[in-house]
């Protein structure tokens, strides 16, 4: 079982317990464990198999949960989860995950109206039965209907980071197969799209049958959907569909190009080929019946006098214009990043101390790390008031005196208040090295109001950047109604930065917005918003999104040294 699968099982247990009205601490314990496991940098199965190590060493995993993990790894199922599922119809689980609903409200719907499926829920909302329930109302009903749309979309696509975990596991399974000579994932996964519909794998094999037998034997397979001579489709237990195509070596590059897509990119490519009297398809590039390229992607693009576009750019946006002008941007890389400018600590909702975060950042080769804990408005996580943040900064000064090779920056994630203005006074903010401002409350305000709040925050001389500027959370929450054009213009006029939050659920700014920021002359800062040391690993997801937006090293602020960056933010 992959970490994602184990985490999903725990999440399910938590959902079902909450649905039943269990003790909140018990529910929380399962959720925390799920998060810990999801964020582990190595497979849980490996830790379980190692007699020298114990799962109880990890945050939030006690003896009981460790035993449950061992059971899951060993048997692939959890008796406790089976018992819960026997008591509650499984279709209820889908309702629990409707954004804006949650287990408590779902339980009311189940008890009062007998709603046990998404279809029943939609119908109850449409016939206005839900608004009549105590504690619901017309607004909630509308929000549930919107949530239903998001949920049905979400059922079809998964986060890139989740896809990545499953891809790596499948590749690990396939690589040892002696029949397979070449192997590459293609499709939206290879293009680094923020969500992935299904996986497309390509292989060259000495023996297609043996390769497919090996594929079918992957332990994660739930169903074989289709099996032909050269193509096979399976569905994993996670619900993800995976297509494997076996192609001849002389067509591998052409197939990789074709199945990487995007479809829109391929359409442009085909028409360019046609205008030169050539034909391009998944077998190769042809002049008449003669194949002139196909073995590698470089050959395929080369035959059309085109550069081998980085997969992230293949969306038929600007890439062909750039290629024609000989000005394909050199995209930013993970190795270009020198610092991380959004991270939390145990002072608020992080689970690692400042020193632990700094050590982990240093180990990743970073030269600076801004600690940006929440401000007091976020009372739920014990947000910092002026007194506590000054105490934290005094501690950071002391810590910096001891640390070598990394600088901890005195930062704050200051809330942009519902009615406008910032959650901490200017004299406090003036003492910070780095200030990110963000919206956490009043996210449903009308466009003009929420835009004004963010624009005014950018105008504050002490604010360095806006965190997660649109507030979107993939599969969970739509972006605010914010006018990004106005935000870009203000950021440019006031010399401020905008964040690309690298958390795989956020990726906010998204690729298109990154490109727009660049067009407006606004620098983007890629930050992980880490709440634990492993969270720093999310930087690669942000890099990928930035690359999709065509950003170069110069376009990304935190490829600079802190000394250089300080001049740009230049508030003092
Ligand atoms: P996804 O799976 O929805 O995240 O997106 P993709 O881009 O992986 O799309 P998919 O899996 O349908 O197809 C993989 C690639 O195959 C796609 O990017 C372009 C290529 N392709 C070539 N011809 C077609 C076609 O007629 N329809 C589609 N859908 N894809 C095609
Ligand atoms: Ca796909
Ligand atoms: Ca596909
Ligand atoms: Zn944050």
């Amino acid at each position: 079982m992959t970490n994602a699968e184990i985490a999903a099982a725990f999440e399910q247990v938590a959902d079902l317990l909450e649905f039943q009205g269990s003790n909140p601490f018990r529910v929380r314990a399962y959720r925390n464990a799920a998060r810990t496991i999801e964020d582990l940098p190595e497979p849980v199965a490996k830790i379980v198999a190692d007699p020298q190590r114990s799962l109880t060493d990890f945050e939030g995993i006690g003896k009981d949960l460790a035993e449950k993990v061992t059971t899951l790894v060993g048997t692939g199922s959890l008796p406790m989860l089976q018992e819960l599922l026997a008591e509650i119809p499984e279709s209820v689980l889908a309702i629990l995950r409707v954004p804006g609903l949650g287990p408590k409200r779902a339980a009311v719907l189940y008890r009062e109206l007998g709603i046990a499926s998404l279809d029943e829920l939609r119908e109850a909302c449409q016939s206005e039965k839900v608004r009549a329930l105590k504690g619901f109302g017309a607004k909630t009903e509308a929000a549930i209907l919107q949530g239903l749309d998001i949920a049905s979309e979400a059922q079809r696509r998964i986060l890139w980071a989740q896809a990545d975990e499953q891809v790596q596991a499948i590749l690990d399974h396939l690589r040892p197969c002696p029949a397979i000579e070449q192997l590459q994932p293609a499709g939206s996964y290879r293009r680094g799209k923020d969500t992935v519909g299904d996986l497309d794998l390509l292989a060259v094999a000495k023996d297609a049958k043996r390769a497919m037998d090996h594929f079918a034997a992957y332990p994660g397979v739930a169903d074989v959907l289709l099996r032909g001579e050269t193509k096979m489709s399976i569905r994993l237990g996670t619900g993800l569909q995976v297509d494997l195509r076996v192609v001849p070596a002389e067509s591998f590059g052409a197939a990789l190009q074709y199945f990487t897509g995007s479809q829109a990119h391929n359409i442009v490519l085909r028409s360019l080929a046609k205008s030169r009297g050539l034909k391009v398809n998944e077998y190769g590039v042809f002049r008449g019946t003669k194949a002139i390229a196909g073995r590698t992607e470089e050959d395929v693009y080369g035959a059309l006098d085109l550069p081998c576009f980085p997969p992230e750019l293949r969306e038929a946006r600007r890439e062909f214009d750039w290629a024609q002008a000989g000005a394909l941007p050199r995209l930013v890389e993970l190795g270009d990043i020198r610092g991380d400018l959004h991270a939390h600590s145990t002072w608020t909702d992080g689970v690692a101390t400042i020193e632990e975060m700094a050590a982990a950042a240093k180990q990743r080769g970073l030269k600076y790390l801004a600690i940006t804990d929440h401000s007091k408005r976020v009372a739920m996580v014990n947000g910092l008031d002026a007194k506590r943040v000054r105490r934290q900064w005094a501690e950071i000064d002391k810590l910096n005196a001891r640390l070598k090779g990394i600088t901890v920056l005195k930062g704050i994630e200051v809330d942009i208040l519902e009615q406008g203005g910032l959650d901490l006074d200017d004299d406090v903010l003036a003492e910070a090295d780095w200030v990110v401002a963000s919206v956490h409350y009043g996210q449903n305000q009308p466009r003009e109001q929420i835009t004004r709040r963010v624009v005014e925050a950018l105008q504050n001389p002490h604010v360095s950047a806006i965190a997660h500027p649109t507030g979107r959370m993939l599969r969970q929450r739509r972006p605010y109604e914010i006018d990004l054009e106005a935000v870009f213009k203000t950021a440019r006029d006031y010399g401020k930065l905008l964040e690309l939050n690298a958390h795989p659920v956020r990726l906010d700014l998204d690729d298109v917005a990154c490109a727009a920021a660049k067009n407006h002359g606004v620098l983007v800062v890629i930050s992980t918003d880490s709440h634990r040391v492993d969270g720093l690993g999310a930087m690669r997801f942000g890099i990928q999104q930035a690359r999709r937006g065509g950003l170069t090293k110069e376009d990304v602020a935190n490829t600079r040294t802190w000394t250089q960056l300080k001049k740009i933010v230049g508030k003092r």
Side-chain angles (χ1 to χ4, degrees), residues 257-271:
Q257 191 291 313
Y258 181 89
F259 289 108
T260 295
S262 66
Q263 207 179 342
H265 175 92
N266 288 354
I267 289 170
V268 177
L269 194 73
R270 275 201 294 269
S271 76

PDB file of all heavy atoms in Angstrom, residues 257-271:
ATOM      1  N   GLN A 257       5.825  11.898 -27.963  1.00  0.00           N
ATOM      2  CA  GLN A 257       5.377  13.249 -28.333  1.00  0.00           C
ATOM      3  C   GLN A 257       3.846  13.289 -28.403  1.00  0.00           C
ATOM      4  O   GLN A 257       3.206  14.159 -27.809  1.00  0.00           O
ATOM      5  CB  GLN A 257       6.009  13.631 -29.674  1.00  0.00           C
ATOM      6  CG  GLN A 257       5.861  15.091 -30.065  1.00  0.00           C
ATOM      7  CD  GLN A 257       4.432  15.464 -30.398  1.00  0.00           C
ATOM      8  OE1 GLN A 257       3.752  14.762 -31.143  1.00  0.00           O
ATOM      9  NE2 GLN A 257       3.975  16.566 -29.827  1.00  0.00           N
ATOM     10  N   TYR A 258       3.279  12.328 -29.098  1.00  0.00           N
ATOM     11  CA  TYR A 258       1.835  12.322 -29.335  1.00  0.00           C
ATOM     12  C   TYR A 258       1.056  12.186 -28.026  1.00  0.00           C
ATOM     13  O   TYR A 258       0.127  12.943 -27.747  1.00  0.00           O
ATOM     14  CB  TYR A 258       1.487  11.172 -30.279  1.00  0.00           C
ATOM     15  CG  TYR A 258       0.014  11.084 -30.621  1.00  0.00           C
ATOM     16  CD1 TYR A 258      -0.508  11.787 -31.706  1.00  0.00           C
ATOM     17  CD2 TYR A 258      -0.850  10.292 -29.861  1.00  0.00           C
ATOM     18  CE1 TYR A 258      -1.851  11.711 -32.025  1.00  0.00           C
ATOM     19  CE2 TYR A 258      -2.199  10.208 -30.177  1.00  0.00           C
ATOM     20  CZ  TYR A 258      -2.694  10.913 -31.258  1.00  0.00           C
ATOM     21  OH  TYR A 258      -4.030  10.836 -31.560  1.00  0.00           O
ATOM     22  N   PHE A 259       1.441  11.229 -27.215  1.00  0.00           N
ATOM     23  CA  PHE A 259       0.658  10.964 -26.006  1.00  0.00           C
ATOM     24  C   PHE A 259       1.017  11.895 -24.845  1.00  0.00           C
ATOM     25  O   PHE A 259       0.355  11.874 -23.815  1.00  0.00           O
ATOM     26  CB  PHE A 259       0.771   9.495 -25.598  1.00  0.00           C
ATOM     27  CG  PHE A 259       0.046   8.583 -26.549  1.00  0.00           C
ATOM     28  CD1 PHE A 259       0.739   7.757 -27.428  1.00  0.00           C
ATOM     29  CD2 PHE A 259      -1.345   8.596 -26.597  1.00  0.00           C
ATOM     30  CE1 PHE A 259       0.065   6.939 -28.329  1.00  0.00           C
ATOM     31  CE2 PHE A 259      -2.034   7.788 -27.493  1.00  0.00           C
ATOM     32  CZ  PHE A 259      -1.329   6.959 -28.369  1.00  0.00           C
ATOM     33  N   THR A 260       2.065  12.693 -25.016  1.00  0.00           N
ATOM     34  CA  THR A 260       2.298  13.731 -24.013  1.00  0.00           C
ATOM     35  C   THR A 260       1.324  14.871 -24.241  1.00  0.00           C
ATOM     36  O   THR A 260       0.862  15.513 -23.305  1.00  0.00           O
ATOM     37  CB  THR A 260       3.752  14.222 -24.071  1.00  0.00           C
ATOM     38  OG1 THR A 260       4.600  13.136 -23.705  1.00  0.00           O
ATOM     39  CG2 THR A 260       3.990  15.382 -23.111  1.00  0.00           C
ATOM     40  N   GLY A 261       0.979  15.079 -25.514  1.00  0.00           N
ATOM     41  CA  GLY A 261       0.019  16.141 -25.799  1.00  0.00           C
ATOM     42  C   GLY A 261       0.640  17.507 -25.570  1.00  0.00           C
ATOM     43  O   GLY A 261       1.849  17.662 -25.647  1.00  0.00           O
ATOM     44  N   SER A 262      -0.152  18.502 -25.194  1.00  0.00           N
ATOM     45  CA  SER A 262      -1.587  18.365 -25.083  1.00  0.00           C
ATOM     46  C   SER A 262      -2.230  18.188 -26.459  1.00  0.00           C
ATOM     47  O   SER A 262      -1.581  18.381 -27.481  1.00  0.00           O
ATOM     48  CB  SER A 262      -2.176  19.602 -24.414  1.00  0.00           C
ATOM     49  OG  SER A 262      -1.992  20.719 -25.264  1.00  0.00           O
ATOM     50  N   GLN A 263      -3.471  17.875 -26.444  1.00  0.00           N
ATOM     51  CA  GLN A 263      -4.191  17.729 -27.689  1.00  0.00           C
ATOM     52  C   GLN A 263      -4.083  19.013 -28.517  1.00  0.00           C
ATOM     53  O   GLN A 263      -3.859  18.963 -29.726  1.00  0.00           O
ATOM     54  CB  GLN A 263      -5.648  17.410 -27.384  1.00  0.00           C
ATOM     55  CG  GLN A 263      -6.305  16.630 -28.489  1.00  0.00           C
ATOM     56  CD  GLN A 263      -7.748  16.310 -28.150  1.00  0.00           C
ATOM     57  OE1 GLN A 263      -8.166  16.360 -27.002  1.00  0.00           O
ATOM     58  NE2 GLN A 263      -8.521  15.971 -29.164  1.00  0.00           N
ATOM     59  N   ALA A 264      -4.242  20.159 -27.851  1.00  0.00           N
ATOM     60  CA  ALA A 264      -4.182  21.447 -28.552  1.00  0.00           C
ATOM     61  C   ALA A 264      -2.802  21.661 -29.170  1.00  0.00           C
ATOM     62  O   ALA A 264      -2.679  22.146 -30.295  1.00  0.00           O
ATOM     63  CB  ALA A 264      -4.514  22.582 -27.591  1.00  0.00           C
ATOM     64  N   HIS A 265      -1.764  21.290 -28.436  1.00  0.00           N
ATOM     65  CA  HIS A 265      -0.390  21.415 -28.935  1.00  0.00           C
ATOM     66  C   HIS A 265      -0.212  20.528 -30.176  1.00  0.00           C
ATOM     67  O   HIS A 265       0.375  20.946 -31.179  1.00  0.00           O
ATOM     68  CB  HIS A 265       0.571  21.000 -27.820  1.00  0.00           C
ATOM     69  CG  HIS A 265       2.018  20.956 -28.205  1.00  0.00           C
ATOM     70  ND1 HIS A 265       2.865  22.032 -28.047  1.00  0.00           N
ATOM     71  CD2 HIS A 265       2.780  19.959 -28.739  1.00  0.00           C
ATOM     72  CE1 HIS A 265       4.085  21.703 -28.459  1.00  0.00           C
ATOM     73  NE2 HIS A 265       4.064  20.446 -28.883  1.00  0.00           N
ATOM     74  N   ASN A 266      -0.756  19.320 -30.109  1.00  0.00           N
ATOM     75  CA  ASN A 266      -0.609  18.388 -31.226  1.00  0.00           C
ATOM     76  C   ASN A 266      -1.324  18.879 -32.482  1.00  0.00           C
ATOM     77  O   ASN A 266      -0.859  18.644 -33.597  1.00  0.00           O
ATOM     78  CB  ASN A 266      -1.145  17.001 -30.840  1.00  0.00           C
ATOM     79  CG  ASN A 266      -0.221  16.312 -29.853  1.00  0.00           C
ATOM     80  OD1 ASN A 266       0.865  16.809 -29.547  1.00  0.00           O
ATOM     81  ND2 ASN A 266      -0.645  15.163 -29.353  1.00  0.00           N
ATOM     82  N   ILE A 267      -2.437  19.549 -32.283  1.00  0.00           N
ATOM     83  CA  ILE A 267      -3.171  20.066 -33.435  1.00  0.00           C
ATOM     84  C   ILE A 267      -2.324  21.106 -34.172  1.00  0.00           C
ATOM     85  O   ILE A 267      -2.208  21.070 -35.401  1.00  0.00           O
ATOM     86  CB  ILE A 267      -4.537  20.663 -32.996  1.00  0.00           C
ATOM     87  CG1 ILE A 267      -5.469  19.509 -32.579  1.00  0.00           C
ATOM     88  CG2 ILE A 267      -5.163  21.491 -34.105  1.00  0.00           C
ATOM     89  CD1 ILE A 267      -6.756  19.954 -31.911  1.00  0.00           C
ATOM     90  N   VAL A 268      -1.693  21.999 -33.429  1.00  0.00           N
ATOM     91  CA  VAL A 268      -0.828  23.000 -34.060  1.00  0.00           C
ATOM     92  C   VAL A 268       0.337  22.312 -34.759  1.00  0.00           C
ATOM     93  O   VAL A 268       0.691  22.648 -35.896  1.00  0.00           O
ATOM     94  CB  VAL A 268      -0.300  24.022 -33.013  1.00  0.00           C
ATOM     95  CG1 VAL A 268       0.655  25.013 -33.665  1.00  0.00           C
ATOM     96  CG2 VAL A 268      -1.457  24.739 -32.345  1.00  0.00           C
ATOM     97  N   LEU A 269       0.898  21.318 -34.090  1.00  0.00           N
ATOM     98  CA  LEU A 269       2.048  20.613 -34.665  1.00  0.00           C
ATOM     99  C   LEU A 269       1.680  19.951 -35.997  1.00  0.00           C
ATOM    100  O   LEU A 269       2.427  20.025 -36.980  1.00  0.00           O
ATOM    101  CB  LEU A 269       2.533  19.554 -33.675  1.00  0.00           C
ATOM    102  CG  LEU A 269       3.907  18.962 -33.980  1.00  0.00           C
ATOM    103  CD1 LEU A 269       4.989  19.986 -33.667  1.00  0.00           C
ATOM    104  CD2 LEU A 269       4.131  17.698 -33.149  1.00  0.00           C
ATOM    105  N   ARG A 270       0.535  19.313 -36.003  1.00  0.00           N
ATOM    106  CA  ARG A 270       0.098  18.636 -37.238  1.00  0.00           C
ATOM    107  C   ARG A 270      -0.070  19.628 -38.381  1.00  0.00           C
ATOM    108  O   ARG A 270       0.304  19.342 -39.512  1.00  0.00           O
ATOM    109  CB  ARG A 270      -1.228  17.903 -36.996  1.00  0.00           C
ATOM    110  CG  ARG A 270      -1.047  16.512 -36.400  1.00  0.00           C
ATOM    111  CD  ARG A 270      -2.264  15.628 -36.651  1.00  0.00           C
ATOM    112  NE  ARG A 270      -3.459  16.096 -35.954  1.00  0.00           N
ATOM    113  CZ  ARG A 270      -3.812  15.693 -34.718  1.00  0.00           C
ATOM    114  NH1 ARG A 270      -3.070  14.825 -34.075  1.00  0.00           N
ATOM    115  NH2 ARG A 270      -4.905  16.151 -34.151  1.00  0.00           N
ATOM    116  N   SER A 271      -0.630  20.813 -38.076  1.00  0.00           N
ATOM    117  CA  SER A 271      -0.856  21.764 -39.159  1.00  0.00           C
ATOM    118  C   SER A 271       0.470  22.361 -39.633  1.00  0.00           C
ATOM    119  O   SER A 271       0.644  22.629 -40.822  1.00  0.00           O
ATOM    120  CB  SER A 271      -1.874  22.833 -38.746  1.00  0.00           C
ATOM    121  OG  SER A 271      -1.268  23.757 -37.897  1.00  0.00           O
TER     122      SER A 271
END
